[in-house]
Amino acid sequence: MSSAIAPARFSVLDRSRIREGHTAAQALRDTVALAREAERLGFHRFWVSEHHGVPGVAGSAPTVLAAAVAGATRTIRVGTGGVMLPNHRPLVVAEQFGVLESLFPGRIDMGLGRSVGFTDGVRKTLGRDKDDADDFATQLAELLGWFGGTSPTRVHAYPAEGLTVPPFVLALGEGATIAARAGLPLVIGDLRDRERMRRGIDTYRARFCPSPWASEPYVVVSGTVAVAASPEEARRLLVPEAWSMAYSRTHGTFPPLPPAESVETRTMTAKERGFYERGLTGHIAGTEEQVTHELDTLLQETGAQEILVTTSTYDRTALLDSHRRLAGIVHRARNTG
C-alpha cells in the first residue's frame, strides 16, 4: 500500500496557551515565533484560535492575532481555527477578513466554528446563549453573502465585498452537514473517537454540494501530533495539556500549562486521575517511525487531504523539535513517494 502522507498537506494551529510562570504577552509572542518556524519548515497553513475568559489561553481575538502572524511571515497561509461565528455579527467578521485579505492578499483563510463560549458567565457577557449555535447555518450564509455582495440590505461589507477568502467549517455531527450543504471544506477533529470522526466525514462527503468556494469535498483532520526521540519523550509532551484538561473538567476553569515534571509529582483525586489518563490517550505520539505509521493509517482511513496539528505543551523547545521531526517525516515521504 502506497503512503498517504506524501500528497497530504500539513498545517499548524496554535492556541496561544499560557504557561505557568509566563505571561499572556509571552504566549502571544510564542505564537508568532512558532508561525515563523512553521513557515521555515514548509507547513501549509498557520491558524490561531478564539477563546474568551479562559485563564490558560491568551488568544481571544483571532483576527487581530492573525494580522500579527501574517505580518511576521511571508509565504505561509494564515487563518483562524476558528472565529466562533455565533459570538459575532457576520458583517463585522466579513469586514475583519476583508481587511486581512486586503493587507495580505492570497494568504488568508477564514476558519469558522459554532461554539458560543466556555461557561455560562462568558456566554452571558457576550450576550449569547447555547441556542445561538443553532443559527450557525443562517449566520454562515449571511457571512458568505457579504463577500458576494448579495446582502438584501443596501449595506456593503467594505473591503470584503468582491474578495475571495477561503472559508472552512470546524465541525462535528450537525456541523458536518452544514459544511456539506454550504459546499465548504470541513475541519474535523476527534482522534480519540475515530469511528465518530469517520461517520462525520462520511456524512460530509455524501451530502456535499459543489459551491463557488469548493467544487468537491475537502477534509482537514485536526489533532495532537507529538514526535520525539523516544515514546517516553513524546508522551511527556502530552502531559501538561492532559493535566490542564483534567483540571478544567473537575474545577470548571482551564488553567495555564504546568511543566510535565510538576504534573508527574502531583497528587490527584481518582476523578482527576481518570480525566488525566484519558487525556493522554487517542493522540498520535511517538518516534518518527511510529508517527509515520500512525499518520499513514489515519490518512488511509479518512481520505483526508490535510492534517492540522494542534499540539500544546509547556516545553516550547520540545514543541519546536516535534514540529521539525514531523516536517522531516513529510519531507522524506514526498522524496520517496
Side-chain angles (χ1 to χ4, degrees), residues 47-64:
W47 283 4
V48 296
S49 62
E50 174 182 337
H51 296 276
H52 299 285
V54 181
V57 180
S60 56
T63 54
V64 177

Side-chain angles (χ1 to χ4, degrees), residues 71-139:
T73 55
R74 295 187 303 108
T75 58
I76 195 170
R77 296 196 64 86
V78 176
T80 56
V83 165
M84 298 299 124
L85 193 52
N87 292 337
H88 311 280
R89 295 302 306 170
L91 169 64
V92 175
V93 175
E95 290 172 337
Q96 290 173 347
F97 279 98
V99 170
L100 284 170
E101 176 63 21
S102 298
L103 290 172
F104 309 101
R107 292 180 56 204
I108 301 301
D109 298 323
M110 185 169 59
L112 305 162
R114 57 196 294 265
S115 296
V116 285
F118 187 61
T119 65
D120 290 337
V122 170
R123 288 189 289 270
K124 182 178 180 181
T125 303
L126 290 171
R128 300 292 185 267
D129 58 44
K130 291 182 179 180
D131 294 340
D132 286 316
D134 297 337
D135 295 328
F136 179 68
T138 300
Q139 296 163 339

Side-chain angles (χ1 to χ4, degrees), residues 4 89 113 116 135 161 163 170 180 187 216 242 276 285 310 329 334:
R89 295 302 306 170
V116 285
D135 295 328
E161 188 171 307
L163 298 181
L170 284 64
V187 182
E216 58 186 24
Y276 171 67
T310 62
I329 290 171
R334 288 173 180 166

Side-chain angles (χ1 to χ4, degrees), residues 169-244:
V169 173
L170 284 64
L172 276 175
E174 181 185 351
T177 299
I178 293 172
R181 289 175 177 167
L184 301 180
L186 173 70
V187 182
I188 187 166
D190 199 358
L191 296 184
R192 292 189 183 92
D193 191 343
R194 299 289 181 91
E195 182 56 37
R196 182 186 180 203
M197 183 178 66
R198 285 193 293 268
R199 287 198 304 270
I201 292 172
D202 289 345
T203 296
Y204 167 71
R205 290 196 175 112
R207 300 182 181 179
F208 183 85
C209 301
S211 75
W213 302 97
S215 60
E216 58 186 24
Y218 189 90
V219 174
V220 182
V221 171
S222 68
T224 295
V225 179
V227 197
S230 69
E232 294 75 21
E233 290 178 64
R235 182 184 183 279
R236 284 176 65 82
L237 280 165
L238 308 176
V239 165
E241 186 75 13
W243 163 250
S244 292

Side-chain angles (χ1 to χ4, degrees), residues 275-309:
F275 282 123
Y276 171 67
E277 294 294 343
R278 283 194 289 276
L280 293 172
T281 63
H283 308 292
I284 293 177
T287 64
E288 278 114 326
E289 183 178 1
Q290 291 169 323
V291 169
T292 298
H293 174 72
E294 290 191 48
L295 285 173
D296 195 60
T297 299
L298 175 65
L299 289 164
Q300 295 279 4
E301 289 178 350
T302 63
Q305 288 97 333
E306 187 169 341
I307 299 290
L308 180 65
V309 180

